[in-house]
């Protein structure tokens, strides 16, 4: 995994989206002239109203969709191990244990459970599930299921983790806990994250860069930098600095919604 902890300005480029357009069914323009650079060590949130193309952009980066026009360039090329994606729902196999769910990426590549078991147990420890390797999804809370999904994303040591509103369906207390846990995890492994969210508060708490998008068509209208240092304790979320960032990002989001309207 990437361990780049340099300042935002001095980070090396990981991928660049240039003049991306995505059209569905011949006339639905999901994205138009979208430009975005992701650097090693970034925590970038894509923030915007429904229909602005946040999830579409994520799926284009993941290779699940192809752009209608424009290009996505990876520094140093790309392989299957370069990225993982975490969706809003954990999408766990109900008949498999926690450990066997985390094994899935290796299984799809023909690697035996025995050969990678130590890596699976290590990543379960990272997400606080070291005592649940033999549990089944039905025995887990919603937050624990999402931890399994995150562990499955981390286990292949990707260069980039894409997260599509992973905590949106959880209650507020669990969501806040997982936001904190995600930052602690990022501090340990130094990964690059692109995070889709509708929440101004969540984007400010998690990110060092926030990309605000407008809809119809989806495109970037503003990029904001959050200069607060990591790790961000509970004290940051009650600080004057946090409130000021929230106000600035909220104003940018209002502008995005006005453009969409």
């Amino acid at each position: 995994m990437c361990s780049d902890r340099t300042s935002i300005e001095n980070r090396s480029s990981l991928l660049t989206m240039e003049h991306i357009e995505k059209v569905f069914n011949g006339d639905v323009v999901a994205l138009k002239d979208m430009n975005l650079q992701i650097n090693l060590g970034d925590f970038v949130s894509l923030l915007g109203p429904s229909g602005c193309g946040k999830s579409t952009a994520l799926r284009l980066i993941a290779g699940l969709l192809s752009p209608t026009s424009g290009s996505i360039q990876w520094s140093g090329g790309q392989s299957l191990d370069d990225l993982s994606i975490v969706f809003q729902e954990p999408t766990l196999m109900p008949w498999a244990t926690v450990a066997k769910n985390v094994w899935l990426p290796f299984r799809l590549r023909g690697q035996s459970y025995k050969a990678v078991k130590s890596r699976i147990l290590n990543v379960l420890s990272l997400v606080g599930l070291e005592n649940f390797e033999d549990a089944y999804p039905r025995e887990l809370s919603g937050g624990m299921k999402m931890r399994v999904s995150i562990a499955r994303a981390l286990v292949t040591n990707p260069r980039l983790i894409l997260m599509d509103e992973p905590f949106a369906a959880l209650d507020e207390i669990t969501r806040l806990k997982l936001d904190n846990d995600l930052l602690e995890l990022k501090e340990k492994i130094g990964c690059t994250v692109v995070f889709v969210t509708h929440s101004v508060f969540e984007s400010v708490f998690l990110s060092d860069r926030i990309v605000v998008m407008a809809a119809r068509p989806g495109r970037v209208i503003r990029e904001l930098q959050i200069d607060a240092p990591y790790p961000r304790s509970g004290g940051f979320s009650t600080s004057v600095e946090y409130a000021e960032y929230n106000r600035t990002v909220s104003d940018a989001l209002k502008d995005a919604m006005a453009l969409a309207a």
Side-chain angles (χ1 to χ4, degrees):
M1 297 179 193
C2 166
S3 59
D4 193 313
R5 296 166 60 93
T6 57
S7 66
I8 294 175
E9 294 80 4
N10 297 322
R11 292 174 183 169
S12 300
S13 174
L14 177 60
L15 71 91
T16 304
M17 305 178 75
E18 294 185 337
H19 306 297
I20 292 292
E21 180 172 302
K22 181 61 182 177
V23 180
F24 292 102
N25 301 322
D27 60 354
V28 179
V29 183
L31 293 172
K32 186 176 180 63
D33 198 29
M34 179 167 178
N35 298 281
L36 177 65
Q37 180 167 313
I38 305 297
N39 301 315
L40 289 168
D42 281 352
F43 196 123
V44 176
S45 283
L46 303 183
L47 176 71
S50 296
C52 72
K54 302 184 298 296
S55 295
T56 299
L58 212 69
R59 283 160 172 75
L60 286 166
I61 294 172
L64 300 175
L65 295 173
S66 297
T68 304
S69 63
S71 64
I72 301 175
Q73 303 291 333
W74 285 76
S75 300
Q78 179 189 6
S79 72
L80 291 175
D81 293 333
D82 282 336
L83 63 84
S84 291
I85 187 165
V86 179
F87 295 102
Q88 185 171 335
E89 296 296 329
T91 61
L92 303 181
M93 299 178 293
W95 59 86
T97 65
V98 164
K100 293 296 177 65
N101 267 283
V102 177
W103 172 46
L104 180 61
F106 295 117
R107 181 183 177 188
L108 294 174
R109 299 172 194 173
Q111 293 179 268
S112 71
Y113 177 74
K114 182 178 179 180
V116 295
K117 183 177 180 180
S118 62
R119 292 176 65 175
I120 291 169
L121 297 182
N122 180 61
V123 77
L124 286 176
S125 179
L126 277 176
V127 300
L129 292 176
E130 60 269 27
N131 297 320
F132 292 88
E133 62 176 290
D134 296 322
Y136 287 86
R138 63 178 177 274
E139 301 170 319
L140 306 178
S141 67
M144 293 171 75
K145 290 176 184 176
M146 189 54 67
R147 289 174 191 270
V148 177
S149 184
I150 293 171
R152 187 170 58 194
L154 293 174
V155 75
T156 57
N157 294 338
R159 295 167 71 192
L160 174 65
I161 299 174
L162 307 173
M163 308 187 81
D164 193 359
E165 298 189 76
F167 310 146
L170 301 174
D171 64 85
E172 191 67 16
I173 293 174
T174 302
R175 182 171 181 165
L176 290 172
K177 171 63 175 167
L178 287 177
D179 281 344
N180 278 282
D181 290 347
L182 180 57
L183 287 189
E184 289 182 8
L185 193 60
K186 185 185 188 305
E187 184 72 10
K188 290 177 182 178
I189 64 180
C191 57
T192 303
V193 180
V194 179
F195 191 96
V196 168
T197 181
H198 282 99
S199 170
V200 169
F201 306 105
E202 186 172 54
S203 68
V204 171
F205 184 74
L206 292 174
S207 313
D208 48 29
R209 290 168 56 210
I210 299 173
V211 174
V212 182
M213 298 179 62
R216 304 185 188 96
R219 74 276 194 197
V220 175
I221 64 162
R222 192 170 176 190
E223 183 174 313
L224 302 161
Q225 188 167 311
I226 308 299
D227 292 322
Y230 293 103
R232 294 176 182 168
S233 64
F236 173 64
S237 63
T238 57
S239 67
V240 172
E241 180 184 24
Y242 178 71
E244 290 176 348
Y245 276 127
N246 278 317
R247 199 157 31 242
T248 299
V249 176
S250 293
D251 288 344
L253 184 58
K254 289 177 184 176
D255 292 341
M257 295 173 71
L259 287 171

